[in-house]
Amino acid sequence: TYSLQLDWERIVRDAGDIDYDIRALALYRLGRRAEALAAWPGVPPDATAIIKLWDETIVACLNDAPNARELTERLSEYGSWGDPEGHVAQAIILSRLGSHDMAMRLLESAQAGGFTAPDTLARDPWLAPLRDDPRFAPLLQRAQASRREALA
């Protein structure tokens, strides 16, 4: 996906209304918070508890609210979205918010679930604080090895 390639501008251009959440997060990554908030439609009143928490978390992040880290951590504790890529997305946000240990655990969980994103791990600026963690280099090496194996 474009998000794993860190191509935020292309997401904003191509995502359209169908992928409003991806578009809003790309705007967030570009520092265009007002646009991101305008693109975020919220969730219906009958949404599940985890979706409501996701909405509250994104709005808090988009507003740089003091409780953004707490909400993102609570969302991560909910368990799995059933999709290891979701763990990577959460880990990136948690890393930016300063919750480095939880971010590392989510990256490890994503990798254990079969999702590797070596370029994202190596280049995403929000993951920079994790690169000094002794668990990070082996994680990146496994992701790179997994990619080589898949391409062979």
Side-chain angles (χ1 to χ4, degrees):
T1 67
Y2 296 134
S3 61
L4 295 178
Q5 297 171 355
L6 312 178
D7 194 348
W8 313 119
E9 291 288 351
R10 191 164 189 178
I11 292 170
V12 169
R13 186 184 70 234
D14 296 347
D17 294 334
I18 295 172
D19 292 322
Y20 68 87
D21 56 340
I22 294 169
R23 186 172 188 278
L25 290 172
L27 288 163
Y28 174 53
R29 295 299 304 263
L30 290 166
R32 294 160 56 183
R33 289 174 199 236
E35 288 177 77
L37 279 164
W40 189 258
V43 297
D46 62 342
T48 63
I50 193 167
I51 297 300
K52 287 179 180 178
L53 180 57
W54 167 247
D55 176 64
E56 186 180 3
T57 300
I58 294 303
V59 171
C61 288
L62 294 178
N63 283 305
D64 256 347
N67 66 338
R69 178 176 172 172
E70 173 194 340
L71 288 168
T72 307
E73 288 174 351
R74 189 163 20 129
L75 182 66
S76 297
E77 289 169 355
Y78 241 93
S80 173
W81 288 93
D83 174 11
E85 185 176 3
H87 287 248
V88 173
Q90 287 177 316
I92 290 167
I93 293 171
L94 283 165
S95 178
R96 179 192 173 274
L97 296 172
S99 189
H100 301 148
D101 187 59
M102 185 174 274
M104 280 301 305
R105 288 195 313 262
L106 283 169
L107 290 174
E108 290 167 339
S109 174
Q111 196 169 76
F115 189 82
T116 61
D119 292 340
T120 301
L121 293 174
R123 296 182 16 237
D124 193 302
W126 285 6
L127 292 177
L130 304 182
R131 293 192 184 106
D132 291 331
D133 187 303
R135 297 171 290 178
F136 191 85
L139 182 82
L140 178 58
Q141 290 166 354
R142 287 190 303 272
Q144 291 167 332
S146 183
R147 171 193 266 159
R148 283 191 302 273
E149 188 176 303
L151 292 174

